[in-house]
Amino acid sequence: MNEKKRRDREERQNIVLWRQPLITLQYFSLEILVILKEWTSKLWHRQSIVVSFLLLLAVLIATYYVEGAHQQYVQRIEKQFLLYAYWIGLGILSSVGLGTGLHTFLLYLGPHIASVTLAAYECNSVNFPEPPYPDQIICPDEEGTEGTISLWSIISKVRIEACMWGIGTAIGELPPYFMARAARLSGAEPDDDEYQEFEEMLEHAETAQDFASRAKLAVQNLVQKVGFFGILACASIPNPLFDLAGITCGHFLVPFWTFFGATLIGKAIIKMHIQKIFVIITFSKHIVEQMVAFIGAVPGVGPSLQKPFQEYLEAQRQKLHHKSEMGTPQGENWLSWMFEKLVVVMVCYFILSIINSMAQSYAKRMQQRLNSEEKTK
């Protein structure tokens, strides 16, 4: 049975666009139809909830479009809601990622904190006018005196975005927990690959020799034996094995609020402040100037490498003082061009991974159906 599961898993992993494009697209389309059918059936059996949701939506739409004195509050709530939803959504994507490892901190939150840090030191203030911030940062008309910017002032400026992103990452850790908990309570055979690997790891815990297996066992033992503070410790540091903590908590029926509370505190408060402080210190004015000077000191290629960095920093300074629209338009710096293309490549890979993941999910349905038919014969 274990050998057959292994072969089925290998067969599913070969269903990707660059190996079997037609089959992958076919299975992807069929999986979408299956999901739509399942959700339609669930909504049909919960008609009261659907009707209540539609009535609430109608009230919100009417409130949004009807003119009146309430519109100023509606606009303020809309702006804050979109800001929170944007960063929470990016946090969820960073945790879930559908197997892609799409780390939105490196692509979005980290660069945002870095840009605020550079702007704070250039403007000697964090009182950026709003709007247009956070879409575009422009120095206020009355800039502060040099040396008035502190680490705490920058931390306070990006606290909302960072905490919302951290909350999103905590929410994204819930699916492994609920999956493992449901499998343990129902006693059914788990159909999730990560959960199957977790059970195999428990079976061979005493004979594990390689570093990866021992690291996973260490996380599992810490969470199981220490409880709340073990989960908090795992969530408070960059930990690629945290999915295992969610599966462990679900498997051993750790209470929901113990797991989610520790995860939320660890990711949205402790870990988030560690990451913020690291980025702010790295992009503080004197550190950046030292890094650019160090690049220029590299023998041979130093000056040529240093030039685009200096041009990029100068362009950012002009943008902050709203000078980029004056005079001749500035050419695009190759550093910003490379970053934009990196984001595009990561998003494209994310979309491809969604297609592959859903196609493999449909293949798994087919394999389970065939296995059940063989058992009934």
Side-chain angles (χ1 to χ4, degrees):
M1 183 62 68
N2 289 334
E3 181 64 22
K4 190 175 189 312
K5 286 182 180 179
R6 186 185 62 79
R7 281 190 277 107
D8 287 347
R9 190 183 304 167
E10 291 177 354
E11 183 181 337
R12 290 196 305 270
Q13 290 173 349
N14 287 325
I15 302 177
V16 289
L17 279 169
W18 45 88
R19 289 182 181 174
Q20 304 180 57
L22 295 179
I23 292 177
T24 303
L25 290 173
Q26 179 188 359
Y27 284 6
F28 168 71
S29 303
L30 292 172
E31 179 68 10
I32 289 178
L33 293 176
V34 170
I35 292 173
L36 288 175
K37 182 181 177 182
E38 290 178 350
W39 276 98
T40 303
S41 177
K42 290 179 180 178
L43 292 175
W44 180 257
H45 290 92
R46 294 171 175 81
Q47 295 180 12
S48 59
I49 297 176
V50 174
V51 172
S52 301
F53 175 77
L54 291 176
L55 289 173
L56 177 62
L57 185 62
V59 171
L60 291 175
I61 291 174
T63 305
Y64 185 80
Y65 285 103
V66 173
E67 295 293 334
H70 65 282
Q71 281 298 323
Q72 56 178 332
Y73 303 106
V74 170
Q75 292 174 4
R76 189 180 306 169
I77 292 172
E78 179 192 15
K79 183 177 181 181
Q80 293 299 318
F81 174 78
L82 292 177
L83 177 67
Y84 294 167
Y86 175 75
W87 289 111
I88 289 174
L90 287 176
I92 293 172
L93 281 178
S94 188
S95 287
V96 179
L98 295 175
T100 65
L102 179 69
H103 208 301
T104 51
F105 181 87
L106 297 177
L107 293 177
Y108 295 97
L109 183 58
H112 173 69
I113 296 173
S115 63
V116 171
T117 304
L118 292 172
Y121 282 105
E122 177 63 25
C123 304
N124 296 312
S125 171
V126 291
N127 297 321
F128 311 129
E130 189 176 356
Y133 176 80
D135 300 322
Q136 182 184 358
I137 303 175
I138 298 174
C139 288
D141 295 332
E142 296 181 3
E143 299 181 16
T145 57
E146 190 170 353
T148 57
I149 292 300
S150 65
L151 178 67
W152 182 252
S153 62
I154 302 175
I155 289 175
S156 301
K157 188 66 177 178
V158 296
R159 180 179 290 119
I160 295 295
E161 297 93 324
C163 286
M164 290 301 108
W165 185 87
I167 290 171
T169 61
I171 295 172
E173 300 294 351
L174 293 179
Y177 169 82
F178 284 123
M179 177 271 303
R181 185 180 179 86
R184 181 67 184 273
L185 290 174
S186 65
E189 183 180 353
D191 59 356
D192 184 83
D193 291 341
E194 289 186 358
Y195 189 75
Q196 291 177 8
E197 291 177 7
F198 170 75
E199 289 208 325
E200 291 173 5
M201 184 190 71
L202 292 181
E203 291 176 3
H204 304 94
E206 296 181 359
T207 59
Q209 296 294 331
D210 58 294
F211 176 77
S213 297
R214 283 184 289 170
K216 291 179 180 179
L217 282 171
V219 171
Q220 184 254 324
N221 290 330
L222 179 66
V223 170
Q224 184 184 355
K225 294 177 180 178
V226 184
F228 179 90
F229 293 101
I231 303 167
L232 182 65
C234 290
S236 300
I237 58 174
N239 185 0
L241 301 176
F242 192 80
D243 277 351
L244 186 64
I247 294 175
T248 302
C249 291
H251 180 79
F252 291 105
L253 304 181
V254 173
F256 170 76
W257 286 110
T258 300
F259 169 72
F260 187 64
T263 303
L264 189 64
I265 294 171
K267 286 183 171 289
I269 299 177
I270 301 175
K271 179 185 174 184
M272 200 62 259
H273 276 81
I274 294 172
Q275 290 176 305
K276 274 195 298 184
I277 291 170
F278 175 79
V279 174
I280 292 170
I281 291 175
T282 302
F283 285 89
S284 60
K285 186 175 181 180
H286 65 284
I287 296 291
V288 171
E289 290 175 351
Q290 289 176 4
M291 288 172 61
V292 173
F294 177 76
I295 292 172
V298 176
V301 296
S304 58
L305 287 175
Q306 187 185 44
K307 185 178 178 181
F309 284 96
Q310 290 176 330
E311 291 176 350
Y312 177 77
L313 292 174
E314 183 59 32
Q316 295 306 307
R317 291 191 183 100
Q318 291 184 2
K319 276 186 180 180
L320 292 170
H321 294 290
H322 214 59
K323 297 178 180 177
S324 58
E325 296 177 0
M326 303 178 182
T328 58
Q330 296 179 350
E332 187 179 32
N333 185 274
W334 69 270
L335 286 176
S336 57
W337 182 88
M338 283 184 61
F339 182 76
E340 289 174 2
K341 298 303 179 282
L342 174 64
V343 172
V344 170
V345 169
M346 287 294 294
V347 170
C348 290
Y349 179 68
F350 180 60
I351 294 172
L352 292 177
S353 298
I354 292 175
I355 296 173
N356 293 336
S357 177
M358 294 183 69
Q360 291 170 10
S361 178
Y362 185 79
K364 192 172 190 177
R365 293 178 189 268
M366 293 179 59
Q367 290 172 349
Q368 290 173 345
R369 190 183 306 126
L370 290 173
N371 292 336
S372 61
E373 290 175 357
E374 290 176 359
K375 289 178 181 178
T376 55
K377 287 182 180 178

